[in-house]
């Protein structure tokens, strides 16, 4: 049985992961409209991954016979100044998720919810990768500045991202 504070925290995390999915979808739409089709693809795959993150926690709750409570999602940011602005926003978002995951991990130990701690550990590792990839893209975009051919080269590179395995679930 999951304690009430643990259930509340997992529900909140499900909402954050779904909000991240929604947010990356909005970024993907903006990129597509600006003809950054590679970044649009990359962000759509990221959106699917975030959906998968939410489903991991959703399924964990069900396995523990706890009811996932789905709260409303806010409006995602849909307008950006540049491709760099998109990925800076994404990086900031991931840093926020890392703080939440760390708090969930800490709470799991406090509540002696060891199954939740093990489940959350996967996310702790995942956040290291997520922050790293966002940070690298931001750094590359900062490096090339306003140079259009270089920005388009980065966009092309981003377009080679493979689809999320299993349609995003469990990624
Ligand atoms: Fe699921 Fe990007 O954190």
């Amino acid at each position: 049985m999951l304690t009430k504070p643990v259930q509340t925290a997992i529900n909140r995390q499900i909402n954050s992961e779904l909000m991240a999915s929604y947010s990356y979808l909005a970024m993907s739409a903006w990129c597509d409209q600006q003809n950054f089709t590679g970044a649009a693809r990359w962000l759509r795959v990221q959106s699917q991954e975030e959906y998968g993150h939410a489903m991991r926690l959703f399924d964990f709750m069900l396995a523990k016979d706890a009811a996932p409570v789905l709260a409303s999602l806010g409006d995602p940011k849909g307008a950006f100044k540049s491709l760099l602005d998109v990925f800076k926003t994404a990086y900031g978002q991931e840093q926020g998720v890392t703080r939440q995951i760390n708090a969930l991990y800490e709470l799991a130990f406090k509540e002696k919810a060891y199954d939740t701690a093990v489940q959350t550990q996967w996310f702790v590792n995942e956040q290291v990768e997520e922050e790293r990839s966002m940070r690298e893209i931001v750094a590359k975009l900062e490096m090339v500045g306003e140079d259009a051919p270089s920005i388009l080269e980065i966009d092309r590179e981003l377009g080679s991202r493979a689809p999320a395995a299993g349609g995003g679930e469990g990624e």
Side-chain angles (χ1 to χ4, degrees):
M1 193 60 200
L2 296 175
T3 66
K4 200 77 197 148
V6 168
Q7 287 193 39
T8 302
I10 297 175
N11 276 322
R12 199 180 310 127
Q13 196 60 38
I14 290 172
N15 187 266
S16 295
E17 301 289 346
L18 289 175
M19 189 60 218
S21 175
Y22 209 29
S23 169
Y24 288 130
L25 198 58
M27 290 178 191
S28 177
W30 183 88
C31 288
D32 198 272
Q33 293 262 292
Q34 309 298 316
N35 299 309
F36 292 130
T37 50
R41 178 189 165 87
W42 195 96
L43 288 158
R44 190 182 286 223
V45 173
Q46 187 62 32
S47 173
Q48 289 170 338
E49 282 206 2
E50 299 299 352
Y51 173 78
H53 296 173
M55 293 310 291
R56 241 178 206 269
L57 294 168
F58 184 87
D59 286 336
F60 173 69
M61 286 194 87
L62 291 174
K64 290 291 294 176
D65 199 22
V69 178
L70 299 178
S72 60
L73 301 173
D75 294 345
K77 181 178 172 179
F80 302 90
K81 292 196 285 284
S82 61
L83 197 56
L84 176 60
D85 185 29
V86 168
F87 282 96
K88 272 188 169 172
T89 305
Y91 184 36
Q93 199 169 279
E94 288 306 328
Q95 288 174 310
V97 170
T98 298
R99 284 192 289 275
Q100 286 177 329
I101 291 291
N102 289 344
L104 177 59
Y105 196 55
E106 195 178 338
L107 177 76
F109 280 105
K110 196 169 140 250
E111 294 285 313
K112 297 188 173 16
Y114 301 114
D115 43 14
T116 304
V118 169
Q119 190 64 219
T120 309
Q121 195 164 28
W122 182 89
F123 286 87
V124 172
N125 286 326
E126 177 70 5
Q127 282 312 117
V128 175
E129 279 312 307
E130 300 244 307
E131 279 198 39
R132 180 202 172 120
S133 54
M134 296 302 178
R135 194 172 59 242
E136 279 180 2
I137 297 166
V138 167
K140 283 181 186 175
L141 287 168
E142 280 177 340
M143 209 183 296
V144 303
E146 303 283 312
D147 185 53
S150 302
I151 295 172
L152 290 176
E153 178 56 34
I154 293 171
D155 182 58
R156 209 172 7 251
E157 214 179 279
L158 291 171
S160 64
R161 181 171 186 179
E169 292 206 21
E171 284 304 301

